[in-house]
């Protein structure tokens, strides 16, 4: 098997100690949830919201496999419930938990964006 | 009496006018050409499609005004001139690839997922989430022909419809996500369909496909492991479950993008399908439908597509591992190559005989073209958030 781009990680296979050091370094960093997302993170989150959330909820958030997420649809739902839904998903539905890559602050930012409605 | 010179002058003017009139429409027509090497690329956020030429690997132009294309697909008229684009917002748009403009456009429902063209090329069917069901239109005019509400249970609820394909005999076959049913709508006797329903086919069918010979319809299940198989040569035998045990007892990973069962990666004795919630491609024996092997891959597969000669199977993956494409060799069932086209690889489409594959890389705003023998990148074309790529040879393939 040939791979084009796994060279960056090859050293990890050779040096298990390096993996341990890397993992320790990662966990010693302040948790992502202590700070509001910065501009770069917000841009990434906006793209995620439009494109990947949009896969199921529609680019215009009018729904698809997932329900519509326009401000009117969310009006009766608390921020806490929406944040929890994003982070933990909805078991028994196709909505997956996003806590694998999103912090609570990321989710709170997404909820704020959802309540604003789609751009334009 | 007018002079000879005056008459000549009038004659020249007349000739000039005739020449101009002859030349004007000539401006508006494109040079004569076929459409067999053309295709459409969806620009999902721009609501546009690009018309592309696979011989010269270039973009010929674009057609705008197609609405919300966050989920979109295309089927073609049998002459390969017109693409019917199904948008997320219920839009059905007939696009002329030669003149590169919209011929007709309707918004036929609130929320749609895909469509199909009938065997005789006269009917376009659209599968809708809202209102749940299938609506059928005249391919020439897009005038309504039939409405098939996907009612179930006590008859009040309507299911979202997925996995709509055409089948021989001017039939459409589709699955009801919420109801767990497969329906056949038979238009062979005219414009009022005869609908046959199959109940309890499994929980939450998420997509469906038909084998290239038009015999087997298979629905993938999201709500449980396995797939539902219907033999359209012997529909009275009913739907049976295949692959019921794969992944059983293993934790299923969260699914960040639903796999697609477009086409049917059939090669040699095997069919290749994406495993839901696992980093695996499943290899199925196409004679008795038993599981032959689970091939570990980079992420959760979205599209698992056989090169037209059946020698290779190309796989792309769900968010967040969606920057990679892997290629499986069908003889050894091993991954022989890996490409990293860039962020958010959404779709792959082979040229009719498979020497090239076109790959959409959404977050790089690119369509990339690869040589499938050498894996060399042949071209990079600019496109705004490209998603589905659809070439006109689909016009002549059952189920596409």
């Amino acid at each position: 098997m040939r791979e084009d781009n796994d060279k960056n990680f090859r050293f990890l296979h050779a040096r298990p100690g390096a993996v341990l050091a890397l993992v320790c370094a990662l966990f010693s960093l302040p948790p992502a949830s202590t700070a509001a997302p910065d501009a770069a993170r917000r841009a990434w989150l906006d793209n995620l919201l439009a494109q990947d959330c949009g896969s199921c909820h529609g680019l215009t958030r009018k729904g698809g496999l997932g329900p519509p997420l326009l401000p009117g649809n969310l009006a009766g739902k608390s921020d806490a419930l929406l944040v929890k839904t994003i982070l933990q998903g909805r078991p028994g539905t196709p909505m997956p938990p996003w806590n694998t890559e999103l912090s609570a602050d990321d989710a709170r930012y997404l909820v704020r964006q959802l309540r604003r409605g789609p751009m334009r | 009496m007018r002079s000879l010179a005056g008459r000549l002058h009038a004659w020249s003017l007349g000739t000039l006018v005739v020449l101009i009139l002859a030349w004007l429409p000539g401006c508006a027509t494109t040079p004569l050409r076929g459409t067999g090497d053309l295709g459409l690329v969806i620009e999902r956020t721009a609501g546009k499609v690009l018309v592309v030429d696979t011989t010269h690997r270039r973009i010929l132009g674009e057609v705008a005004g197609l609405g919300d294309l966050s989920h979109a697909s295309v089927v073609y008229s049998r002459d390969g001139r017109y693409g019917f684009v199904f948008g997320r917002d219920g839009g059905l748009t007939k696009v002329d690839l030669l003149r590169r403009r919209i011929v007709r456009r309707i918004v036929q429902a609130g929320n749609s997922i895909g469509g199909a063209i009938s065997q005789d090329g006269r009917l376009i069917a659209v599968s809708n989430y809202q209102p749940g069901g299938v609506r059928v239109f005249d391919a020439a005019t897009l005038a309504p022909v039939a409405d098939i509400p996907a009612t179930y249970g006590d008859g009040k609820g309507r299911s979202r419809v997925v996995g709509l394909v055409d089948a021989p005999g001017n039939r459409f076959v589709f699955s009801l996500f919420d109801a767990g049913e497969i329906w056949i709508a038979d238009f062979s006797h005219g414009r009022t369909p005869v609908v046959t329903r199959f109940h309890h086919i499994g929980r939450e069918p998420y997509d469906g496909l038909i084998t290239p010979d038009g015999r087997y319809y298979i629905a993938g299940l999201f709500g449980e492991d396995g797939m539902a198989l219907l033999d359209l040569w012997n529909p009275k035998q009913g739907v049976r479950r295949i692959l019921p045990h794969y992944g059983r007892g293993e934790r299923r990973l969260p699914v960040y993008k639903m796999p697609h069962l477009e086409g049917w990666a059939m090669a040699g004795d095997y069919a290749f399908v994406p495993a839901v919630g696992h980093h695996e491609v499943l290899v199925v024996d196409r004679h008795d439908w038993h599981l032959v092997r689970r091939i570990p891959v980079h992420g959760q597969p979205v599209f698992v597509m056989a090169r037209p000669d059946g020698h290779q199977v190309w796989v792309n993956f769900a968010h967040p591992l969606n920057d990679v494409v892997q290629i499986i060799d069908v003889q050894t069932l091993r991954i022989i190559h890996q490409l990293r086209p860039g962020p958010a690889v959404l779709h792959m489409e082979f040229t009719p005989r498979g020497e090239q594959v076109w790959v959409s890389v959404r977050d790089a705003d690119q369509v990339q073209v690869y040589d499938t023998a050498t894996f060399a990148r042949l071209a990079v074309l600019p496109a705004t958030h490209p998603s589905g790529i659809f070439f006109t040879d689909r016009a002549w393939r059952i189920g596409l």
Side-chain angles (χ1 to χ4, degrees):
Chain A
M1 171 180 161
R2 269 181 54 200
E3 294 210 8
D4 285 329
N5 279 300
D6 67 345
K7 295 188 188 72
N8 298 337
F9 300 99
R10 201 162 285 152
F11 79 101
L12 296 177
H13 299 296
R15 295 171 55 195
V19 179
L20 188 65
L22 184 65
V23 169
C24 290
L26 282 173
F27 278 89
S28 65
L29 290 171
S33 60
T34 57
D38 62 17
R41 182 74 176 171
R42 289 198 301 273
W44 183 84
L45 288 166
D46 286 337
N47 190 57
L48 182 85
L49 185 61
Q51 302 290 349
D52 296 291
C53 304
S55 294
C56 280
H57 298 283
L59 277 175
T60 51
R61 302 186 198 151
K62 289 179 184 165
L65 185 62
L69 299 178
L70 293 168
N73 306 115
L74 304 177
K77 298 179 172 63
S78 70
D79 284 4
L81 174 70
L82 296 175
V83 167
K84 185 181 172 205
T85 304
I86 292 170
L87 293 177
Q88 298 178 19
R90 289 186 66 199
T93 79
M95 177 66 181
W98 290 84
N99 56 12
T100 48
E101 59 181 329
L102 299 183
S103 68
D105 276 308
D106 290 338
R108 277 191 282 273
Y109 173 77
L110 291 175
V111 170
R112 278 204 301 279
Q113 293 298 86
L114 285 170
R115 291 208 189 277
R116 282 186 187 172
M119 278 177 290
R120 283 178 294 280
Chain B
M1 186 183 154
R2 294 165 68 184
S3 70
L4 182 64
R7 262 183 277 170
L8 269 178
H9 182 67
W11 181 86
S12 331
L13 263 180
T15 307
L16 193 65
V17 167
V18 167
L19 280 174
I20 287 171
L21 286 177
W23 174 75
L24 270 177
C27 277
T29 55
T30 49
L32 284 174
R33 68 159 298 159
T35 61
D37 60 351
L38 299 185
L40 294 174
V41 176
I42 307 289
E43 291 189 316
R44 67 197 304 262
T45 49
K48 293 179 186 172
V49 291
L50 302 176
V51 181
V52 297
D53 166 348
T54 60
T55 301
H56 301 96
R57 297 194 283 271
R58 64 181 181 182
I59 296 167
L60 298 179
E62 63 175 41
V63 181
L66 281 77
D68 180 352
L69 299 180
S70 58
H71 193 286
S73 59
V74 182
V75 299
Y76 286 99
S77 62
R78 61 196 288 160
D79 62 6
R81 176 166 176 181
Y82 301 101
F84 297 88
V85 182
F86 307 98
R88 163 64 83 196
D89 55 4
L92 166 58
T93 312
K94 183 175 181 178
V95 173
D96 182 338
L97 274 72
L98 290 179
R99 294 190 189 277
R100 299 201 285 277
R101 66 186 187 204
I102 293 173
V103 177
R104 208 167 288 270
R105 172 173 163 80
I106 58 172
V107 176
Q108 53 81 43
N111 203 310
S112 305
I113 193 67
I117 186 165
S118 62
Q119 183 179 36
D120 66 5
R122 293 172 188 276
L123 301 173
I124 301 291
V126 194
S127 55
N128 294 320
Y129 281 174
Q130 188 59 45
V134 170
R135 285 184 172 153
V136 181
F137 301 88
D138 185 294
T141 63
L142 302 190
V145 169
D147 187 10
I148 308 169
T151 50
Y152 69 106
D154 59 8
K156 289 179 192 144
R158 290 175 70 157
S159 172
R160 289 169 285 186
V161 172
V162 298
L164 169 65
V165 300
D166 63 285
N170 245 32
R171 291 177 292 178
F172 294 110
V173 189
F174 47 91
S175 298
L176 280 62
F177 179 86
D178 304 289
E181 296 182 7
I182 293 173
W183 292 14
I184 301 172
D186 183 340
F187 285 85
S188 62
H189 300 293
R191 300 195 147 204
T192 305
V194 177
V195 178
T196 308
R197 304 176 179 196
F198 299 88
H199 304 277
H200 309 298
I201 61 105
R203 287 189 56 220
E204 295 177 337
Y206 64 86
D207 201 0
L209 58 83
I210 191 165
T211 49
D213 57 8
R215 176 166 181 180
Y216 295 102
Y217 178 82
I218 297 158
L221 302 176
F222 182 79
E224 58 187 290
D225 289 332
M227 307 181 98
L229 175 80
L230 175 61
D231 180 352
L232 294 168
W233 290 9
N234 299 289
K236 287 196 169 62
Q237 293 174 0
V239 173
R240 69 187 172 101
R241 196 70 56 83
I242 60 172
L243 309 179
H245 301 302
Y246 89 81
R248 177 152 295 179
E250 297 170 23
R251 196 171 68 90
R252 190 193 264 195
L253 300 166
V255 176
Y256 293 103
K257 181 162 175 66
M258 282 282 180
H260 284 57
L261 298 177
E262 175 200 89
W264 184 231
M266 280 225 169
D269 293 331
Y270 305 128
F272 296 77
V273 290
V276 180
H278 299 277
H279 291 193
E280 293 174 349
V281 168
L282 305 179
V283 185
V284 185
D285 185 301
R286 54 191 276 190
H287 302 294
D288 62 9
W289 306 105
H290 81 274
L291 183 62
V292 174
R293 191 175 299 186
R294 301 160 64 167
I295 301 176
V297 290
H298 174 76
Q300 295 182 35
V302 175
F303 284 100
V304 177
M305 322 260 286
R307 198 172 69 176
D309 66 347
H311 194 171
Q312 298 172 350
V313 168
W314 288 54
V315 189
N316 76 327
F317 302 98
H319 177 90
L321 298 172
N322 54 3
D323 58 338
V324 161
V325 170
Q326 289 184 318
I327 298 107
I328 297 169
D329 174 66
V330 168
Q331 289 190 91
T332 60
L333 301 183
R334 289 177 188 282
I335 295 168
I336 53 164
H337 199 77
Q338 173 166 308
L339 299 168
R340 202 173 291 257
V345 174
L346 290 196
H347 195 214
M348 303 165 290
E349 178 86 335
F350 293 97
T351 47
R353 301 194 186 194
E355 84 287 356
Q356 298 168 38
V357 64
W358 289 44
V359 178
S360 57
V361 192
R362 185 192 70 200
D363 290 349
D365 291 319
Q366 289 176 349
V367 172
Q368 301 179 6
V369 184
Y370 290 89
D371 182 314
T372 63
T374 64
F375 307 114
R377 198 163 71 182
L378 302 174
V380 176
L381 305 173
T384 306
H385 293 140
S387 53
I389 304 174
F390 303 89
F391 295 155
T392 51
D393 64 301
R394 290 168 175 259
W396 311 292
R397 288 156 65 193
I398 294 168
L400 298 179

